């Protein structure tokens, strides 16, 4: 059965066509973030146009700059481009900032660019274009930010951190929204709030992150009408791990394991930064950033969700073996990509990615390490230790998905059956 499209709940009062998700996120007094994902076709264009016009008016009245995050869009119709043009054509002095991910959508905007829209490849680039000083209409600097440029710079940094965090939260919304819809239909629940309550209670009871549990609801086979969700399932003991420094009491705590793995990676490899991605079945096994250390928010925003090259982690996963770039700046592919530029801006010069594989070759995730200086730095013993840690991580992830996560699903199913009025 095909997977349902990932659709997040719409803002109150907004009726969106199936297949499109829209989230409005006011931040502080400077920016309002409007995130879209899915398909912005002719049917969705009218609804989007109404919402966009309302947000343009509000941003103009409040003094906020409107930022459109279009990185989640797969398709934009000609009608939607016309809507963008009509809604923003009077904003040439203070254009709407649009973050565009898909190359074919960028090309469409380049061919017929709306006059009041400025396109950027990354959210960091869009936010960096905002002025660090308040300016009067005649261009003269005014206000406390003009007198205190360092405070203005700090304010913009804080704004970027906040918007990056909000966008990270928005990435989890679609999966949770789909899981709510599945649970509501399956257990005849009165509304989506009741479905969210089931998810939240099971998440807290087994200490499984809400996104991980929602992903499992979306991808697990449908349970029978009565009885347990996974009849005859046997619990297996946690696998023996040689390097992953987690005690017996912490092996079922996802955050503890991943944080420990990041720390161990940094220690074993003497790296300046590290990141760990794990696969997510609800996202066609895309790589999701789960733990990191040593790099800034702009870089994390670039690598939060990886579906393929040029990201080095995606290359390592596809190859099934380590991939090493000794000098990002000199690499013709990574060095010219948005991810490579973000890594360089964060201080990384050399990067090494290693897939975490199970015994049968299944990839559970990827470990990536960085160094500030270009060139090779790990010796044979360090690479061996990193490989052993990747094996530990893969074994733990395989066990966690089939033990702790399934326990949480069973708990959710039992609670739902107990409250089912049928």
């Amino acid at each position: 059965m095909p997977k349902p499209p990932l659709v997040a709940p719409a803002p109150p009062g907004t009726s969106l066509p199936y297949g499109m998700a829209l989230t409005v996120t006011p931040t502080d007094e400077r920016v309002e973030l409007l995130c879209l994902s899915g398909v912005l076709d002719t049917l969705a264009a009218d609804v989007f146009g109404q919402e966009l016009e309302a947000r343009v008016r509000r941003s103009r009245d409040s003094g906020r700059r409107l930022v459109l995050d279009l990185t989640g869009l797969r398709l934009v119709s000609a009608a939607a481009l016309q809507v963008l043009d009509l809604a923003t054509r009077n904003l040439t002095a203070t254009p709407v900032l649009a973050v565009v991910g898909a190359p074919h959508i960028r090309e469409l905007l380049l061919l017929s660019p709306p006059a009041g829209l400025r396109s950027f490849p990354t959210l960091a680039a869009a936010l960096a274009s905002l002025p660090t000083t308040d300016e009067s209409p005649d261009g003269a600097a005014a206000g406390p930010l003009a007198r205190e440029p360092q405070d203005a710079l700090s304010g913009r940094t804080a704004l970027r951190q906040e918007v990056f965090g909000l966008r990270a939260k928005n990435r989890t919304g679609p999966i949770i929204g789909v899981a709510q819809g599945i649970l509501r239909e399956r257990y005849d629940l009165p509304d989506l709030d009741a479905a969210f309550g089931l998810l939240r209670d099971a998440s807290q009871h087994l200490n499984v992150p809400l996104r991980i549990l929602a992903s499992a609801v979306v991808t697990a086979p449908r349970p029978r009408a009565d009885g347990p969700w996974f009849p005859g399932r046997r619990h297996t003991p946690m696998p023996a791990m040689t390097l992953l420094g987690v005690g017996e009491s912490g092996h079922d705590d996802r955050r503890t394991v991943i944080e420990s793995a990041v720390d161990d990676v940094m220690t074993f490899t003497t790296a300046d930064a590290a990141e760990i991605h794990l696969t997510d079945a609800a996202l066609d096994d895309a790589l999701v950033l789960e733990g990191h250390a040593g790099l800034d928010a702009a870089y994390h925003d670039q690598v939060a969700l990886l579906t393929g090259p040029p990201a080095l982690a995606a290359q390592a996963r596809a190859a099934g073996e380590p991939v090493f770039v000794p000098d990002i700046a000199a690499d013709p592919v990574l060095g010219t990509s948005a991810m490579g530029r973000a890594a360089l801006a964060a201080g990384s010069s050399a990067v090494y990615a290693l897939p975490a594989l199970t015994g049968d070759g299944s990839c559970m995730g990827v470990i990536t390490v960085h160094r500030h200086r270009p060139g090779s730095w790990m010796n044979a013993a360090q690479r061996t230790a990193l490989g052993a840690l990747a094996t530990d991580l893969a074994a733990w992830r395989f066990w966690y998905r089939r033990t702790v996560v399934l326990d949480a699903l069973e708990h959710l199913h039992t609670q739902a059956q107990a409250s089912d009025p049928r």
Side-chain angles (χ1 to χ4, degrees), residues 301-318:
D301 186 68
Q302 279 293 312
V303 301
L305 180 65
L306 303 176
T307 56
L312 205 67
Q315 293 185 40
R317 177 192 169 185

Side-chain angles (χ1 to χ4, degrees), residues 18 20 25 81 141 153 188 199 202 229 263 275 281 291 313 322 327 335 337 380:
Y18 193 67
M20 175 184 169
T25 311
L81 290 178
L153 185 60
D188 195 24
L199 279 170
W229 195 331
D263 290 342
E275 58 193 91
D327 189 348
S337 69

Side-chain angles (χ1 to χ4, degrees), residues 189-216:
L189 300 174
D191 50 39
L192 292 176
D193 287 342
F196 184 80
L198 276 177
L199 279 170
R200 182 194 57 225
D201 292 346
S203 169
Q204 294 174 349
H205 184 74
L206 275 298
N207 197 24
V208 175
L210 194 63
R211 177 184 65 82
I212 305 302
L213 183 58
S215 175

Side-chain angles (χ1 to χ4, degrees), residues 173-258:
I175 295 178
I176 295 173
V178 172
Q180 286 177 265
I182 290 173
L183 294 176
R184 182 182 182 185
E185 178 274 332
R186 180 175 294 164
Y187 299 111
D188 195 24
L189 300 174
D191 50 39
L192 292 176
D193 287 342
F196 184 80
L198 276 177
L199 279 170
R200 182 194 57 225
D201 292 346
S203 169
Q204 294 174 349
H205 184 74
L206 275 298
N207 197 24
V208 175
L210 194 63
R211 177 184 65 82
I212 305 302
L213 183 58
S215 175
V217 169
V218 171
T219 57
R222 186 183 183 97
R224 299 183 306 176
D226 56 352
W229 195 331
F230 306 98
R233 179 171 68 96
R234 292 183 297 176
H235 282 69
T236 58
M238 187 190 72
M241 296 184 287
T242 57
L243 289 181
L244 194 55
V246 181
E248 183 69 22
S249 61
H251 63 269
D252 58 350
D253 187 319
R254 185 183 182 88
R255 182 187 296 272
T256 298
V257 171
I258 293 173

Side-chain angles (χ1 to χ4, degrees), residues 65 83 101 135 147 167 182 204 207 211 219 258 263 273 315 333 339 356 368 419:
R65 289 294 293 274
V83 164
E135 294 184 355
R147 293 191 297 271
R167 192 157 78 156
I182 290 173
Q204 294 174 349
N207 197 24
R211 177 184 65 82
T219 57
I258 293 173
D263 290 342
Q315 293 185 40
V333 177
M339 292 177 188
T368 307
S419 60

Side-chain angles (χ1 to χ4, degrees), residues 314-329:
Q315 293 185 40
R317 177 192 169 185
E321 59 185 20
V323 177
F324 177 50
V325 174
D327 189 348
I328 297 174

